[in-house]
Amino acid sequence: MIHHEKSNDHFSPLIENLIILAIVFVIALMLLEDVATIYHWSHQAIVRITYAAFFFDLLFSIEFIARSIISKKRGSFTYYIQHQRGWIDFLSSFPLLFFFSGPAVIAYLLGSGGGGGALGFFMILKTAKAIRVARILRLIRLIKLFGKIQNTESVMTNRQIGIISTTSVVALILVLAICQFLPLVRLGDHNDYLAMRLSQLNAMVNFNEGNNSNEKIIAYIQSNPANSDIIQLFDSAGSVIFQNPNSEDLSWSAYNSGSKIDLTMGFKVVLSYHIADSEHAKLNMVLFFCILGLILFLMFVYSPIFAQQVADPCYVMLKGYTKKSYNFEAKINENFANDEVFLLAREYNNNWLPVKSKILKVQQAKEEQKSVLKMDDIF
């Protein structure tokens, strides 16, 4: 059995298991948050989810501090950051707390009305959206849970899967974060969405100019689901010609705290950005399931392959070199016989095991000679 000399756990088994349970809950909360955004749940539901996200971000920030303190006392802080993925613990806690859930909670506590004021300011930041994706990094920590389910005892296998998973997930998240700053590929950006919608609404007003234009505009709005983001529409005289039946639920996600936005021909509109957020939430969910599928594939498909082709031969050879009575041959996969590990295993099987067998026979013969009682030894 192979074990690293440094303990992987900082807390008692009970606390470690509670933290794993918290990770499962916060990942479920991530999905719930995206579902709430896609289906535009009520403001109260969003507030509760935000408070729950703040609680978990605060909890994991405290956990990172505690692990850092314990590692520092053990003289293994650098080992924790580099080899136990402490940097992931950091990225999935403090940035989220200070740049996403924390500001959102502050905005709620300050009583920003429907949430379109201070909350809207924080939610519109591209950096906030990019940082929010860091929550998906917590999926990497589920590798520890899957490792316990598999009962794998190979430190090398766990480390290999951890490195590949971490590298792959971080690469995907970096690509998504970078895309938030690229005009052609970003999704759910509020400014991009607003510019697109104003262009569409101006075209709608111009197209329906003339007699009964207001009635035509109302009919067009009601016939197109894409216009569900219109909270209110005002004509050039300032009269409300359209009021969304769900205007109360949409008001907290309105641009500019519900202020009127100028359109062509003196028209004005109050617009919600919930559709833009919905697009971004859908992208997050796709990324989430891609990463989850990747980790599951690595854990349950690639991990056994790596163990059979690398870890198991090394394990057999190590025991053969260190245990006197261990004489099993390392299994060689003939399909990959030219791989270095199997070339080494062949040398071990063909050269070391025969030599070891001869050495053991010589030692056994000497032991038998020592145990024979001679007559000269009695007299």
Side-chain angles (χ1 to χ4, degrees), residues 116-144:
L119 178 61
F121 169 75
F122 288 116
M123 298 293 283
I124 202 170
L125 293 176
K126 300 183 187 72
T127 50
K129 287 186 176 182
I131 290 169
R132 180 180 176 274
V133 179
R135 284 182 181 166
I136 302 178
L137 284 170
R138 290 179 182 142
L139 278 172
I140 298 175
R141 301 184 64 182
L142 286 181
I143 294 173
K144 182 184 293 186

Side-chain angles (χ1 to χ4, degrees), residues 283-299:
L283 179 62
N284 283 343
M285 291 192 73
V286 170
L287 181 66
F288 173 87
F289 286 111
C290 285
I291 291 175
L292 182 61
L294 174 64
I295 292 177
L296 290 173
F297 178 85
L298 289 172
M299 290 301 303

Side-chain angles (χ1 to χ4, degrees), residues 329 332 345-355:
E329 289 189 351
I332 297 175
R346 193 178 301 279
E347 290 294 320
Y348 167 83
N349 293 341
N350 297 340
N351 296 323
W352 168 244
L353 286 183
V355 172

